[in-house]
Amino acid sequence: MKHVYTFVALGTLMICSLTACRQKTTPATVATEKKTPTYKKAAICCESNIPSRFKLASVDLDADPLATAGPAGSHKNMVWVKGGDFMMGGDNKQAGPDEFPKHKVILDGFWIDVTEVTNAQFAAFVKATGYKTTAEQKPDWNELKKQVPPGTPEPDPSLLVPASLVFKPTTGAVELTDYSQWWTWEKGADWKHPQGPKSNIKGKDNYPVVHISWFDAKAYCKWAGKRLPTEAEWEWAARGGLKNNIYPWGNEPINTGKSKANTWEGNFPYKNTLKDHFYNAAPVKSFQANGYGLYDMAGNVWEWCSDYYDNKYYQTINKPAGVKDPSGSASSYDPEEPYAKKRVIRGGSFLCNDSYCSGFRVARRMKSTEDSGMEHLGFRCVQDK
């Protein structure tokens, strides 16, 4: 598979690693409206190639005075998920190679947030600590260049500014292999300004906080006396007690019946029919909870897990007797971006659409660099007994 690394100027700057993630079936034409061009579909699988943010200097959470421990033992707005065993991995033909083999996992019980961490919750953390998110800080080229192939040219210093990635719809059908057409490196975009400096979160206390890097999520968890879920814990919780089903609600296709999650409905990335009533992120608890009482385990915003991403990790832990409380690979490896250090993200977002993406499947594995912050990326926490 060919890797192309390039700086893409879209009025601002973002790093892209453009890799085709082609479906196993013969490419089909993209259905378009009248007077719009028709393109062959060779689609990026939703967020399989999420563009990386300019990386900050390394973060040592243990040494960070702002990331102080929060109130231990508080289970407010959390539910207890009993331990058990399940078959982890792909459940249908949409599953990618990194979702196999399906393997037995045994987990202890844990507490998990009922919803994604909200703007109000994150604001309390910032007020208490003075924490500055990755998106609010100037990127460091000396760190960034470690993630890209040797010889990648340094960008103009004027472009290395506090910024994050914001979704911008196209005016019509486009080739879905090039996400630079709908992602913009937006100066001044951060958790308080989700669509850029002219936007804000007034009246949106109960919306999921976004533009959160893995470092930001870890810092919040430490302050709150919690932690990020492992990938196995997240999938076990997302399944909601159902066995070998595709979605948190069962096997009914996402576009059948009533709206089940906040996703993209229509033709991505230019026409959203708004059947579910939301264009961007939705308030938490806008859709029915799964069997464990957890909301937005499909759609709305992607969620960070603690694990390093390794595309062949499942192959290394597949044992007949099962694996107990797996915590992920010892290191990161993504063949699409072999120089980048990535963590697992789960659950899909408001940009996922079944015509090219199935990010809302419970087994869907995605990944992004630790410094990445985007308009559709947040997190939830877990806690042990």
Side-chain angles (χ1 to χ4, degrees):
M1 194 174 283
K2 185 177 181 181
H3 305 284
V4 182
Y5 296 82
T6 181
F7 291 104
V8 181
L10 299 170
T12 51
L13 188 74
M14 72 178 184
I15 267 197
C16 294
S17 58
L18 180 59
T19 317
C21 180
R22 299 180 182 274
Q23 297 184 347
K24 296 179 181 179
T25 56
T26 302
T29 57
V30 177
T32 63
E33 297 181 280
K34 190 175 181 180
K35 296 184 180 180
T36 58
T38 299
Y39 293 96
K40 292 289 185 180
K41 184 169 72 173
I44 283 180
C45 296
C46 200
E47 308 308 332
S48 61
N49 297 306
I50 286 176
S52 304
R53 184 197 188 273
F54 288 108
K55 187 173 174 62
L56 295 174
S58 297
V59 175
D60 183 352
L61 292 171
D62 292 329
D64 184 356
L66 298 181
T68 55
S74 174
H75 299 140
K76 185 178 180 180
N77 299 319
M78 303 184 84
V79 296
W80 174 255
V81 174
K82 292 182 179 179
D85 63 81
F86 73 111
M87 296 303 294
M88 184 174 180
D91 293 306
N92 69 352
K93 293 181 180 180
Q94 291 175 306
D98 64 352
E99 295 175 44
F100 293 108
K102 200 169 176 70
H103 56 287
K104 185 178 180 180
V105 170
I106 305 115
L107 294 175
D108 290 330
F110 54 93
W111 293 90
I112 184 168
D113 288 345
V114 170
T115 70
E116 297 140 333
V117 173
T118 64
N119 286 323
Q121 291 170 323
F122 198 79
F125 159 60
V126 171
K127 183 178 180 180
T129 63
Y131 185 85
K132 292 290 185 182
T133 62
T134 301
E136 296 173 277
Q137 302 180 54
K138 180 181 177 180
D140 184 345
W141 168 245
N142 288 326
E143 290 295 327
L144 172 64
K145 65 185 179 182
K146 298 175 183 178
Q147 300 188 46
V148 295
T152 299
E154 181 176 357
D156 190 291
S158 66
L159 297 171
L160 293 173
V161 295
S164 194
L165 290 162
V166 171
F167 172 71
K168 300 289 185 183
T170 61
T171 57
V174 295
E175 289 279 6
L176 297 178
T177 54
D178 181 5
Y179 50 65
S180 68
Q181 297 172 100
W182 58 85
W183 280 114
T184 299
W185 177 247
E186 186 80 15
K187 180 181 179 181
D190 55 45
W191 74 276
K192 292 178 290 187
H193 309 94
Q195 287 83 44
K198 293 183 180 180
S199 65
N200 60 65
I201 55 173
K202 292 180 180 178
K204 294 185 175 182
D205 283 354
N206 63 335
Y207 280 63
V209 66
V210 292
H211 293 291
I212 298 298
S213 72
W214 186 85
F215 299 124
D216 301 334
K218 285 281 288 185
Y220 175 93
C221 286
K222 185 171 183 179
W223 171 80
K226 301 179 182 181
R227 60 179 174 82
L228 286 174
T230 65
E231 183 178 15
E233 289 171 335
W234 193 98
E235 185 172 320
W236 171 242
R239 290 182 178 274
L242 300 178
K243 292 185 178 181
N244 300 319
N245 283 355
I246 302 169
Y247 311 105
W249 56 83
N251 289 321
E252 183 178 78
I254 192 164
N255 292 319
T256 299
K258 67 179 182 180
S259 296
K260 304 172 183 67
N262 181 18
T263 62
W264 187 278
E265 295 164 305
N267 303 105
F268 185 85
Y270 65 97
K271 182 182 179 180
N272 190 330
T273 65
L274 299 178
K275 179 184 176 184
D276 59 21
H277 306 297
F278 298 103
Y279 190 87
N280 300 106
V284 298
K285 297 187 178 182
S286 292
F287 300 87
Q288 187 173 341
N290 73 359
Y292 292 149
L294 303 174
Y295 294 87
D296 296 319
M297 298 303 283
N300 214 19
V301 300
W302 287 99
E303 300 179 16
W304 286 109
C305 293
S306 61
D307 307 36
Y308 279 122
Y309 174 80
D310 183 335
N311 68 310
K312 294 185 178 180
Y313 175 60
Y314 286 6
Q315 298 177 26
T316 69
I317 62 171
N318 183 28
K319 300 176 183 178
V323 58
K324 183 74 162 59
D325 292 317
S327 57
S329 174
S331 59
S332 168
Y333 184 72
D334 180 359
E336 296 171 356
E337 293 182 304
Y339 296 90
K341 185 185 293 185
K342 296 188 177 184
R343 299 282 178 168
V344 173
I345 58 175
R346 288 297 203 110
S349 79
F350 59 82
L351 296 180
C352 286
N353 180 284
D354 227 4
S355 67
Y356 77 103
C357 159
S358 57
F360 31 73
R361 291 186 298 103
V362 290
R364 185 57 152 149
R365 304 185 73 205
M366 291 295 174
K367 67 275 187 179
S368 191
T369 53
E370 296 169 326
D371 58 308
S372 293
M374 289 166 282
E375 187 185 347
H376 68 344
L377 180 55
F379 69 109
R380 76 178 70 213
C381 310
V382 299
Q383 198 171 40
D384 300 314
K385 280 187 177 181

